[in-house]
PDB file of all heavy atoms in Angstrom:
ATOM      1  N   HIS A  59      28.544 126.161  22.859  1.00  0.00           N
ATOM      2  CA  HIS A  59      29.080 126.724  21.620  1.00  0.00           C
ATOM      3  C   HIS A  59      30.162 125.808  21.046  1.00  0.00           C
ATOM      4  O   HIS A  59      30.196 125.546  19.837  1.00  0.00           O
ATOM      5  CB  HIS A  59      29.646 128.124  21.883  1.00  0.00           C
ATOM      6  CG  HIS A  59      30.283 128.738  20.684  1.00  0.00           C
ATOM      7  ND1 HIS A  59      31.624 128.643  20.427  1.00  0.00           N
ATOM      8  CD2 HIS A  59      29.747 129.434  19.651  1.00  0.00           C
ATOM      9  CE1 HIS A  59      31.899 129.253  19.297  1.00  0.00           C
ATOM     10  NE2 HIS A  59      30.781 129.754  18.804  1.00  0.00           N
ATOM     11  N   ASP A  60      31.065 125.320  21.900  1.00  0.00           N
ATOM     12  CA  ASP A  60      32.102 124.390  21.450  1.00  0.00           C
ATOM     13  C   ASP A  60      31.481 123.135  20.854  1.00  0.00           C
ATOM     14  O   ASP A  60      31.911 122.655  19.798  1.00  0.00           O
ATOM     15  CB  ASP A  60      33.026 124.008  22.608  1.00  0.00           C
ATOM     16  CG  ASP A  60      33.897 125.158  23.088  1.00  0.00           C
ATOM     17  OD1 ASP A  60      34.096 126.123  22.325  1.00  0.00           O
ATOM     18  OD2 ASP A  60      34.376 125.085  24.239  1.00  0.00           O
ATOM     19  N   TRP A  61      30.472 122.594  21.522  1.00  0.00           N
ATOM     20  CA  TRP A  61      29.800 121.390  21.020  1.00  0.00           C
ATOM     21  C   TRP A  61      29.130 121.648  19.672  1.00  0.00           C
ATOM     22  O   TRP A  61      29.170 120.802  18.774  1.00  0.00           O
ATOM     23  CB  TRP A  61      28.773 120.867  22.024  1.00  0.00           C
ATOM     24  CG  TRP A  61      29.386 120.031  23.080  1.00  0.00           C
ATOM     25  CD1 TRP A  61      29.525 120.342  24.400  1.00  0.00           C
ATOM     26  CD2 TRP A  61      29.960 118.729  22.918  1.00  0.00           C
ATOM     27  NE1 TRP A  61      30.149 119.313  25.061  1.00  0.00           N
ATOM     28  CE2 TRP A  61      30.426 118.312  24.175  1.00  0.00           C
ATOM     29  CE3 TRP A  61      30.138 117.877  21.818  1.00  0.00           C
ATOM     30  CZ2 TRP A  61      31.050 117.086  24.376  1.00  0.00           C
ATOM     31  CZ3 TRP A  61      30.754 116.656  22.020  1.00  0.00           C
ATOM     32  CH2 TRP A  61      31.200 116.266  23.275  1.00  0.00           C
ATOM     33  N   ALA A  62      28.533 122.834  19.534  1.00  0.00           N
ATOM     34  CA  ALA A  62      27.873 123.166  18.264  1.00  0.00           C
ATOM     35  C   ALA A  62      28.881 123.213  17.123  1.00  0.00           C
ATOM     36  O   ALA A  62      28.640 122.675  16.039  1.00  0.00           O
ATOM     37  CB  ALA A  62      27.144 124.510  18.389  1.00  0.00           C
ATOM     38  N   VAL A  63      30.033 123.839  17.373  1.00  0.00           N
ATOM     39  CA  VAL A  63      31.057 123.941  16.331  1.00  0.00           C
ATOM     40  C   VAL A  63      31.621 122.557  15.998  1.00  0.00           C
ATOM     41  O   VAL A  63      31.813 122.219  14.823  1.00  0.00           O
ATOM     42  CB  VAL A  63      32.169 124.932  16.747  1.00  0.00           C
ATOM     43  CG1 VAL A  63      33.303 124.940  15.742  1.00  0.00           C
ATOM     44  CG2 VAL A  63      31.595 126.329  16.916  1.00  0.00           C
ATOM     45  N   LEU A  64      31.874 121.743  17.035  1.00  0.00           N
ATOM     46  CA  LEU A  64      32.353 120.372  16.791  1.00  0.00           C
ATOM     47  C   LEU A  64      31.326 119.568  15.992  1.00  0.00           C
ATOM     48  O   LEU A  64      31.690 118.835  15.066  1.00  0.00           O
ATOM     49  CB  LEU A  64      32.664 119.663  18.105  1.00  0.00           C
ATOM     50  CG  LEU A  64      33.947 120.058  18.808  1.00  0.00           C
ATOM     51  CD1 LEU A  64      34.050 119.363  20.166  1.00  0.00           C
ATOM     52  CD2 LEU A  64      35.161 119.749  17.958  1.00  0.00           C
ATOM     53  N   ALA A  65      30.051 119.704  16.350  1.00  0.00           N
ATOM     54  CA  ALA A  65      29.003 118.971  15.631  1.00  0.00           C
ATOM     55  C   ALA A  65      28.949 119.383  14.167  1.00  0.00           C
ATOM     56  O   ALA A  65      28.799 118.533  13.267  1.00  0.00           O
ATOM     57  CB  ALA A  65      27.643 119.190  16.297  1.00  0.00           C
ATOM     58  N   LEU A  66      29.076 120.676  13.903  1.00  0.00           N
ATOM     59  CA  LEU A  66      29.089 121.141  12.511  1.00  0.00           C
ATOM     60  C   LEU A  66      30.298 120.615  11.751  1.00  0.00           C
ATOM     61  O   LEU A  66      30.185 120.208  10.591  1.00  0.00           O
ATOM     62  CB  LEU A  66      29.059 122.668  12.462  1.00  0.00           C
ATOM     63  CG  LEU A  66      27.710 123.309  12.766  1.00  0.00           C
ATOM     64  CD1 LEU A  66      27.858 124.822  12.902  1.00  0.00           C
ATOM     65  CD2 LEU A  66      26.707 122.961  11.678  1.00  0.00           C
ATOM     66  N   ALA A  67      31.453 120.614  12.397  1.00  0.00           N
ATOM     67  CA  ALA A  67      32.661 120.104  11.737  1.00  0.00           C
ATOM     68  C   ALA A  67      32.525 118.613  11.441  1.00  0.00           C
ATOM     69  O   ALA A  67      32.851 118.153  10.339  1.00  0.00           O
ATOM     70  CB  ALA A  67      33.898 120.374  12.604  1.00  0.00           C
ATOM     71  N   ILE A  68      32.043 117.852  12.418  1.00  0.00           N
ATOM     72  CA  ILE A  68      31.851 116.405  12.217  1.00  0.00           C
ATOM     73  C   ILE A  68      30.841 116.163  11.104  1.00  0.00           C
ATOM     74  O   ILE A  68      31.067 115.354  10.192  1.00  0.00           O
ATOM     75  CB  ILE A  68      31.410 115.732  13.531  1.00  0.00           C
ATOM     76  CG1 ILE A  68      32.569 115.725  14.535  1.00  0.00           C
ATOM     77  CG2 ILE A  68      30.890 114.322  13.278  1.00  0.00           C
ATOM     78  CD1 ILE A  68      32.157 115.361  15.954  1.00  0.00           C
ATOM     79  N   GLY A  69      29.722 116.879  11.150  1.00  0.00           N
ATOM     80  CA  GLY A  69      28.698 116.720  10.118  1.00  0.00           C
ATOM     81  C   GLY A  69      29.205 117.090   8.733  1.00  0.00           C
ATOM     82  O   GLY A  69      28.870 116.431   7.743  1.00  0.00           O
ATOM     83  N   ALA A  70      30.032 118.126   8.660  1.00  0.00           N
ATOM     84  CA  ALA A  70      30.573 118.542   7.363  1.00  0.00           C
ATOM     85  C   ALA A  70      31.506 117.480   6.783  1.00  0.00           C
ATOM     86  O   ALA A  70      31.467 117.200   5.578  1.00  0.00           O
ATOM     87  CB  ALA A  70      31.307 119.884   7.510  1.00  0.00           C
ATOM     88  N   VAL A  71      32.327 116.875   7.634  1.00  0.00           N
ATOM     89  CA  VAL A  71      33.229 115.820   7.151  1.00  0.00           C
ATOM     90  C   VAL A  71      32.424 114.617   6.672  1.00  0.00           C
ATOM     91  O   VAL A  71      32.690 114.062   5.595  1.00  0.00           O
ATOM     92  CB  VAL A  71      34.245 115.412   8.236  1.00  0.00           C
ATOM     93  CG1 VAL A  71      35.009 114.161   7.827  1.00  0.00           C
ATOM     94  CG2 VAL A  71      35.208 116.550   8.512  1.00  0.00           C
TER      95      VAL A  71
END
Side-chain angles (χ1 to χ4, degrees):
H59 177 266
D60 291 339
W61 277 111
V63 174
L64 284 175
L66 285 171
I68 290 167
V71 170

